[in-house]
Amino acid sequence: MAEILEPTDYNITKCKEHLECSEVVAVPTETVYGLAANALDEVAVKKIFEIKKRPLIDPLIVHVHSSNQTHLYAELNILAQKLIKEYWPGPLTLVLKKKSKIPDLVTASLPSVAIRSPQHPTFRKLLKALSFPLAAPSANPFGYISPTQTMHVQHSLGENIRYILNGGYSKLGIESTIIDVQDENKPTILRPGPITRDELEQKFNRTFFSHNETSRNSVIPAPGLLDNHYSPKKPLMLVEEKDLQNLLSKNEHSKLKNCAIILNKRPKKLKAENLFWLSENGDLNEISKNLYHTLRQIDESQYSKLYIQEIEMIHLGVALMDRIRKAAN
Ligand code: TXA
Ligand code: MG
C-alpha cells in the first residue's frame, strides 16, 4: 500500500526528495490525479509507463510551475502565448514543437511535446520546489477510469507506488483540454475538456478546429483514441434520450435487477436502489466532478452492467460525452 501524505511542507520535501531519486509520486491536480516523475530523466519516466502498463507509443504531458519555463522545452508562437496568458495555471494542455531537452521517451518520439501548468496549490508547491518539470499522465492503470481522489489511486496503483500526495477531490474531475497549436492557423482541439470550444472561440474570436475535422492528414493518433479508454471493467451502455423512459419503466417493473442506471440529475419521483445520479439539477460542472467517482463506485459494487444517460452536447457536455463514449466502447 502507498502512504498517503498530507500536504505539509515536510511531506512536500519528502516527495521532492523521492522524485530527485528517479522515483514516481502520485499528485493531485485540479483535473484528475497524476502519476509524476522527473520529465528530464528517462529512468524515472520509464517507471511511469511500467506502473501504468502504458504502451510507449502514448506520449506524456509535461507539467511546469511557471509559464516562463515553457520556452526551455518547447517553441512558442503568438497564439500559444495568448492561450497561456489566458488559461495558465489551469486545465489547458498545449501541444507545441519540442526542444531537445525533453527525452524522446516522454513524447513517444514525436517532434511535439504536450505542456501544461496546473492550478492545484499542492501540486504547484511541489513543482516550485523542484529544479525540473514533471511528466504526469493520469494515475490509473492504462485504459481504466482516471482517479479524482487519493483512494482511487490507492485502489488501483497503491501496490506499486510509495507516496500519494493528498489534495482532496479534484475539483474539475475530467482531464485537461488539449490543443495542438503547432500550426497557428489551425489550432486543433485534440481532447475536449474543461475549457470548451465555445469559450475559446468566443474569447479569441476565431475558429478552433476539432480533431475529427483535421485528422484526415494527421500522423498522430488523437489522445485517448486507443480502445477502451476511461473504461470500467463492467459493460457500460450509453442510453440515448429517446430510450430513457422505456428503460426506466422496464426498471420500475424490476426487469433490470443487476444493472445500475446513472442519470444526469436526481429523479423527481422515481425510487429504486439501482438509480444513481451525477448531479442534483443537471449542472455540467457538478456532473463532471462526479462522473469518474460514480463510475468507479458502481464498477466495484455488485451490479453487473451499467447504463448511463447521454449528456447534451453543449459546453462541457462535449468533453463529458467524449469520455462517456470512449468508456462505453
Ligand atoms: O488533466 C490532465 O491532462 C491530466 C493531469 C494529470 O494533468 N493528465 C492526463 O494525462 O490526462 P494522460 O497521459 O492521461 O493523457 C494525455 C494525453 C494522452 O492521450 C496522449 O496521447 C496525449 O495527451 N499527448 C501527449 N503528448 C502528445 C503530443 N505530443 N501530441 C499529441 N498528443 C499528445
Ligand atoms: Mg489518462
Side-chain angles (χ1 to χ4, degrees):
M1 279 292 156
E3 193 182 338
I4 296 178
L5 300 176
E6 292 310 311
T8 60
D9 288 349
Y10 178 82
N11 284 336
I12 289 194
T13 303
K14 207 161 164 176
C15 293
K16 168 182 184 273
E17 287 168 356
H18 200 51
L19 290 163
E20 285 168 351
C21 296
S22 305
E23 290 296 337
V24 304
V25 172
V27 295
T29 95
E30 70 277 20
T31 56
V32 299
Y33 273 70
L35 187 63
N38 180 352
L40 309 182
D41 174 351
E42 297 210 17
V43 172
V45 171
K46 188 92 196 291
K47 290 179 183 166
I48 294 177
F49 285 97
E50 286 166 0
I51 293 169
K52 278 185 61 99
K53 298 195 168 62
R54 177 171 171 128
L56 294 172
I57 54 161
D58 197 1
L60 307 178
I61 296 175
V62 173
H63 297 72
V64 292
H65 177 261
S66 156
S67 55
N68 296 334
Q69 295 160 337
T70 318
H71 73 276
L72 299 171
Y73 312 116
E75 278 170 34
L76 286 162
N77 53 40
I78 292 172
L79 179 60
Q81 282 166 350
K82 285 186 184 162
L83 285 161
I84 286 173
K85 189 155 181 255
E86 187 68 43
Y87 291 111
W88 281 12
L92 178 70
T93 298
L94 296 177
V95 171
L96 296 163
K97 287 206 175 65
K98 148 185 173 349
K99 288 193 176 169
S100 60
K101 266 200 175 171
I102 300 291
D104 285 337
L105 184 61
V106 172
T107 63
S109 300
L110 290 171
S112 60
V113 59
I115 298 202
R116 91 172 178 106
S117 182
Q119 199 177 60
H120 195 292
T122 303
F123 191 17
R124 292 190 62 71
K125 259 196 186 166
L126 178 61
L127 280 168
K128 195 171 180 198
L130 293 165
S131 61
F132 46 79
L134 290 173
S138 49
N140 49 283
F142 181 71
Y144 196 58
I145 307 160
S146 295
T148 54
Q149 48 176 286
T150 55
M151 287 323 292
H152 298 161
V153 183
Q154 182 72 290
H155 210 95
S156 42
L157 296 180
E159 297 291 327
N160 304 312
I161 57 180
R162 179 95 162 263
Y163 299 132
I164 303 169
L165 188 54
N166 190 359
Y169 300 120
S170 296
K171 70 171 187 194
L172 299 173
I174 59 165
E175 304 82 353
S176 62
T177 304
I178 304 181
I179 311 180
D180 185 340
V181 276
Q182 293 178 87
D183 179 353
E184 269 189 288
N185 298 316
K186 219 173 184 185
T188 303
I189 300 175
L190 298 182
R191 179 173 71 186
I195 294 169
T196 64
R197 183 179 181 173
D198 307 352
E199 182 186 331
L200 287 159
E201 294 195 333
Q202 217 175 50
K203 207 155 249 169
F204 288 86
N205 195 22
R206 62 165 301 159
T207 307
F208 283 77
F209 297 89
S210 85
H211 182 261
N212 29 9
E213 290 164 336
T214 58
S215 64
R216 244 172 295 152
N217 311 316
S218 157
V219 283
I220 324 164
L225 273 195
L226 297 158
D227 280 340
N228 291 333
H229 236 77
Y230 320 105
S231 298
K233 296 180 194 105
K234 294 171 183 167
L236 175 72
M237 318 294 285
L238 180 63
V239 184
E240 288 179 30
E241 218 45 54
K242 65 175 172 50
D243 300 326
L244 185 66
Q245 276 322 315
N246 199 1
L247 183 81
L248 291 173
S249 53
K250 254 193 206 165
N251 194 50
E252 290 270 277
H253 301 96
S254 71
K255 283 183 194 147
L256 294 169
K257 249 192 259 150
N258 290 321
C259 304
I261 302 176
I262 308 170
L263 303 169
N264 299 341
K265 57 182 173 197
R266 181 195 282 275
K268 286 209 180 74
K269 301 180 297 229
L270 292 171
K271 266 203 192 118
E273 242 180 55
N274 65 342
L275 288 185
F276 298 81
W277 48 92
L278 298 172
S279 72
E280 281 301 311
N281 298 312
D283 176 69
L284 291 171
N285 295 309
E286 196 182 334
I287 293 175
S288 176
K289 191 174 172 187
N290 293 328
L291 175 67
Y292 289 158
H293 176 62
T294 307
L295 287 176
R296 274 188 182 248
Q297 247 185 336
I298 301 173
D299 206 27
E300 282 153 23
S301 68
Q302 78 276 18
Y303 298 106
S304 54
K305 192 173 175 181
L306 287 66
Y307 287 96
I308 187 165
Q309 180 185 4
E310 75 176 344
I311 293 166
E312 199 185 350
M313 292 275 282
I314 50 159
H315 312 300
L316 192 51
V318 176
L320 294 168
M321 280 303 290
D322 169 75
R323 305 306 190 275
I324 291 171
R325 283 225 170 84
K326 282 169 189 156
N329 226 344

